[in-house]
Structure formats: structure tokens, C-alpha cells
Amino acid sequence: MNPIQDQSPDNTARSAEVLKFTASELFQRLFREGIELVEETASYLDGDGRTESRLLTRSAALSYASESMKLTTRLMQVSSWLLVQRAVNEGTITAEVASNDRYRLAPRPQQAEPLPGDLPIALVEYILRAERIYDRAYYLDQKMYVQVAEEPSANSVLSQMERLRAAFG
């Protein structure tokens, strides 16, 4: 796959910021944490979680099923985002391609009501961990793909100042 190249100043700045981030220890740590959480959660849901869910009342079992599906969806979104960022770092795709809405994270819907109190504590802990990692990834997504595009770089500001000095100086 050949990455699409666009050398406009906004895309160049974005690409530089995204590459800088995806090569950082911060990203590597987030990536490991995200993938480990996916693996831990899958192991729990297939093992102890399945056993715990059988011990729940009917209403609690329905809540368990609903919350575990939301958890799985959230983790898949985060892991997909992480994998796209790693692909940018490896040069498989460009930051411009990764900035496409289909690769981006949407704001996480805020919990309208508290989690049911009769859910197993382990499931609640996985839900809270997944929300935290999603929020961190979403924050970084916004910093890399939205705020970089919105903020003029110092170089472009200096360039404009030099043009004004030349014109009126």
C-alpha cells in the first residue's frame, strides 16, 4: 500500500506531530497498556466473568451482558485506533490517511446512569479502566488531528510577520 502524500503546510505539521508522538515512549506505553487491557478483558470475559455471570439474578445478568458488550466495543475502538497510529509510525499509512474520520475516535458517551450495583466488581474495574484508556486515546487523537490543524505554527506566524515587515518596513 502506498501512502497518500500531501505536502500542504497543515498536513506537514500534522504529519510531523503525529510521527513524533507515535515514535514516543508515551505512545509505546499507551499501546502496550491498551493491548494488555484487551487481552486481560477477553480472558476475564471468557473465564471468570462467564462463571460470575451465571451466579447473577436475571436482571443483573442482563446488565452484565449489556455492559460487557459496551466494554468490548470500547476496547475494540481503542485497539483499532492504536493499531492505526502504529501503522503511521511504521510508514504503512500517512497521518493524512489516519486523520480520516473512519480511523478516528468519537467522543465517549458519558454514562447517563451509574453502573448497576449488582455487577461483579471485576467487570466494573475493567469498565473503568477501559473508559480511562479510551479518554486518554481520545485526548491524544484530538491533540494530533484537530488541534494541530487549528493552531497556526510558530513558523507560519513568524513568516507572516516577516512578510509584513518587508511590505511596510
Side-chain angles (χ1 to χ4, degrees):
M1 173 181 185
N2 288 333
I4 299 171
Q5 299 293 326
D6 181 352
Q7 297 303 320
S8 71
D10 286 345
N11 287 329
T12 302
R14 178 183 316 160
S15 293
E17 287 297 314
V18 171
L19 286 171
K20 180 179 172 184
F21 168 69
T22 60
S24 73
E25 178 58 35
L26 175 66
F27 174 73
Q28 298 305 317
R29 193 171 46 240
L30 180 66
F31 185 87
R32 282 190 306 272
E33 187 179 332
I35 299 305
E36 286 172 6
L37 182 57
V38 168
E39 291 171 353
E40 284 178 43
T41 303
S43 178
Y44 167 76
L45 292 173
D46 286 340
D48 292 343
R50 184 169 292 172
T51 304
E52 290 174 350
S53 71
R54 290 185 189 126
L55 303 173
L56 299 173
T57 64
R58 180 186 289 282
S59 127
L62 287 172
S63 294
Y64 179 94
S66 174
E67 294 302 325
S68 65
M69 284 192 301
K70 290 178 194 173
L71 171 61
T72 302
T73 300
R74 187 169 299 119
L75 288 174
M76 292 308 295
Q77 291 168 335
V78 168
S79 62
S80 294
W81 184 84
L82 290 168
L83 290 168
V84 166
Q85 304 321 305
R86 186 172 73 174
V88 169
N89 185 45
E90 293 172 349
T92 308
I93 64 173
T94 64
E96 181 186 5
V97 172
S99 72
N100 187 302
D101 286 343
R102 70 189 233 185
Y103 298 117
R104 305 279 309 291
L105 290 172
R108 180 176 59 83
Q110 298 302 310
Q111 190 86 19
E113 298 178 21
L115 292 169
D118 49 3
L119 291 175
I121 190 69
L123 179 66
V124 172
E125 289 174 355
Y126 283 116
I127 290 168
L128 296 175
R129 285 175 63 196
E131 288 175 351
R132 282 193 302 270
I133 203 161
Y134 189 98
D135 290 344
R136 286 169 49 205
Y138 178 75
Y139 172 80
L140 293 169
D141 179 79
Q142 293 297 296
K143 283 291 214 188
M144 292 186 320
Y145 295 109
V146 176
Q147 293 175 2
V148 168
E150 291 176 353
E151 297 173 6
S153 69
N155 291 340
S156 67
V157 171
L158 291 174
S159 169
Q160 291 295 327
M161 294 296 287
E162 290 300 322
R163 287 184 195 167
L164 288 171
R165 281 192 194 109
F168 297 108

